[in-house]
Amino acid sequence: MKNFRFFSVLILSVLCFSCTTKEEANISFEAMNTWMTIKVVGGKGTKKVTKDVEQFFKDFEAQISTTDKNSEVYILNEKSCNLSLSPSSSPSLSTQICSADLTDGVFDLTSMALKMADETDGAFNPCLYPVTKAWGFTTDSYKVPDPQEISYLLKKTDYKKVEIGDENQIAFPSGMMFDFGGIGKGYAGDRLIEFLKNKNLRYGIIDLGGNIQTFGHKPNGSPWNIGIRNPVGEGIIAGVSINEGAVITSGGYERFFTADDSNKYIHIIDPKSGMPVDNGLVSVTIVCESGAYGDALSTALFVMGKEKAIEFWKSNEGEEFQFIIMSQTQADGFEITYTAGLKENFSILLDVDKINIVEK
């Protein structure tokens, strides 16, 4: 393995710009419940282009937010008819079908999310919102739902019952609700890179609070060096270098609460049980081309657990992605498992208990 130098508390990438660059622009702001940093290089007018970036994300967030009453997704969820979502609701409501016409962006995102649900056999599920909401992860009003409530709500999360029609139409049973939090940042990153390329920007990096995406190549030909956060401590634990692509990480450390029963519950929910995942994993990092694909897949593999994630990767003949899985072996101990495609550009910076390389 090559050695790399990384210096970041969170996931970070280092830009090395040529002195021949015409114009460099940096912008940082808060959107989609995270802190975002965009760094790009282009010709004259680059700084003017980046002024549109913050508005780009805020407009997109305004479309897919589950809590903004004016957002398209919020209104879509309201159309689910069965707003009480309680076991005492009338059984007849389950036979009602709701429909809506979506704007191009939300329709495309919905279609992609449902495709990822099919590909991962439901480990990624964009229709899990009723359960996530019951746990309080959407409002930070955390609670442990009653098992009967979880069982009832799970019946409202079957993504296979969603029908996508022509001309941006969607139909779904009453009581179903959508949440694109597990794919939205990656999708937005993909669309932003398209926008920046169309504006003739040469290269750059976007950091969307743990989602790192790059485009273009630095003039000196060196790769982007990206650090992966220590999931239970300070600093970074490993690093990976890429050219153009995405490095997306999901972890139980991102959002969690400790309940009155003294148990820790993370925000990543198992779609089959309706319970927060508890399989020994602490983070999953996906390295691939598409931000949306990596975003959904990092959640899905976290849900699958290490062994099923390895099987899933081995069955992916096109090798569209590589992964880095971290499991906690003790209070501050780690086991790191990564795929063979990362052998030449992955570096472990801290002592770990065990290192596994997955070959096909």
Side-chain angles (χ1 to χ4, degrees), residues 121-126 128 131 154 157 159 268-275 277 299-300 303-304:
D121 193 27
F124 171 78
N125 186 348
L128 199 59
V131 176
L154 283 173
T157 65
Y159 64 90
I268 302 175
I269 306 292
D270 184 339
K272 291 183 179 179
S273 68
M275 295 291 293
V277 176
T299 298
V303 169
M304 291 179 192

Side-chain angles (χ1 to χ4, degrees), residues 150-344:
I150 293 176
S151 178
Y152 175 79
L153 294 177
L154 283 173
K155 297 176 183 178
K156 303 293 185 179
T157 65
D158 187 356
Y159 64 90
K160 293 182 179 180
K161 293 182 179 179
V162 181
E163 295 186 7
I164 297 290
D166 297 330
E167 299 181 357
N168 293 15
Q169 294 179 332
I170 183 175
F172 50 94
S174 64
M176 291 194 72
M177 291 177 148
F178 300 87
D179 179 7
F180 300 114
I183 192 173
K185 285 193 297 182
Y187 179 87
D190 290 339
R191 300 290 79 80
L192 176 63
I193 287 176
E194 287 181 6
F195 169 78
L196 295 174
K197 284 183 174 181
N198 288 336
K199 295 294 184 178
N200 296 317
L201 270 69
R202 299 175 183 176
Y203 58 98
I205 184 166
I206 60 177
D207 180 346
L208 310 183
N211 286 25
I212 307 293
Q213 292 181 245
T214 67
F215 69 96
H217 298 277
K218 291 186 281 187
N220 63 7
S222 64
W224 306 93
N225 295 331
I226 299 172
I228 300 173
R229 176 178 172 175
N230 183 340
V232 297
E234 297 296 327
I236 57 176
I237 189 172
V240 62
S241 63
I242 63 170
N243 289 314
E244 188 172 46
V247 179
I248 312 291
T249 299
S250 289
Y253 58 85
E254 295 172 329
R255 202 164 7 133
F256 63 89
F257 73 97
T258 301
D260 292 338
D261 58 11
S262 299
N263 290 321
K264 174 183 172 182
Y265 297 98
I266 67 173
H267 76 287
I268 302 175
I269 306 292
D270 184 339
K272 291 183 179 179
S273 68
M275 295 291 293
V277 176
D278 183 15
N279 57 16
L281 301 191
V282 287
S283 76
V284 173
T285 298
I286 301 295
V287 182
C288 61
E289 292 185 4
S290 162
Y293 184 71
D295 208 359
L297 208 55
S298 64
T299 298
L301 266 60
F302 197 105
V303 169
M304 291 179 192
K306 186 177 75 172
E307 298 306 322
K308 288 186 178 179
I310 291 173
E311 292 176 10
F312 182 83
W313 179 76
K314 287 184 175 181
S315 68
N316 190 283
E317 296 181 0
E319 295 192 8
E320 295 177 352
F321 73 97
Q322 304 294 325
F323 71 67
I324 303 160
I325 291 178
M326 298 190 188
S327 311
Q328 194 165 6
T329 56
Q330 51 188 333
D332 57 354
F334 291 98
E335 175 180 302
I336 295 182
T337 303
Y338 68 96
T339 48
L342 295 174
K343 273 185 180 180
E344 299 302 319

Side-chain angles (χ1 to χ4, degrees), residues 63-82:
Q63 286 184 298
I64 70 167
S65 171
T66 56
T67 56
D68 183 345
K69 293 184 178 181
N70 295 314
S71 84
E72 188 169 349
V73 170
Y74 184 94
I75 295 171
L76 180 67
N77 287 342
E78 287 290 296
K79 288 187 176 182
S80 66
C81 306
N82 183 9

Side-chain angles (χ1 to χ4, degrees), residues 85-192:
L85 287 174
S86 68
S88 61
S89 301
S90 171
S92 64
L93 285 175
S94 63
T95 64
Q96 295 185 21
I97 299 297
C98 306
S99 62
D101 295 321
L102 305 179
T103 57
D104 290 344
V106 176
F107 180 79
D108 185 47
L109 175 59
T110 303
S111 300
M112 185 175 295
L114 292 171
K115 179 182 177 181
M116 289 303 300
D118 279 329
E119 186 171 327
T120 61
D121 193 27
F124 171 78
N125 186 348
C127 302
L128 199 59
Y129 186 66
V131 176
T132 306
K133 186 178 181 181
W135 280 92
F137 285 112
T138 60
T139 60
D140 294 336
S141 298
Y142 305 120
K143 68 170 185 175
V144 179
D146 182 271
Q148 182 183 6
E149 181 183 9
I150 293 176
S151 178
Y152 175 79
L153 294 177
L154 283 173
K155 297 176 183 178
K156 303 293 185 179
T157 65
D158 187 356
Y159 64 90
K160 293 182 179 180
K161 293 182 179 179
V162 181
E163 295 186 7
I164 297 290
D166 297 330
E167 299 181 357
N168 293 15
Q169 294 179 332
I170 183 175
F172 50 94
S174 64
M176 291 194 72
M177 291 177 148
F178 300 87
D179 179 7
F180 300 114
I183 192 173
K185 285 193 297 182
Y187 179 87
D190 290 339
R191 300 290 79 80
L192 176 63

Side-chain angles (χ1 to χ4, degrees), residues 15 17 24-28 37-41 46-47 50:
L15 288 175
F17 297 118
E24 172 187 343
N26 303 327
I27 180 173
S28 297
T37 300
I38 318 295
K39 300 181 180 182
V40 293
V41 172
T46 294
K47 291 182 179 180
T50 57

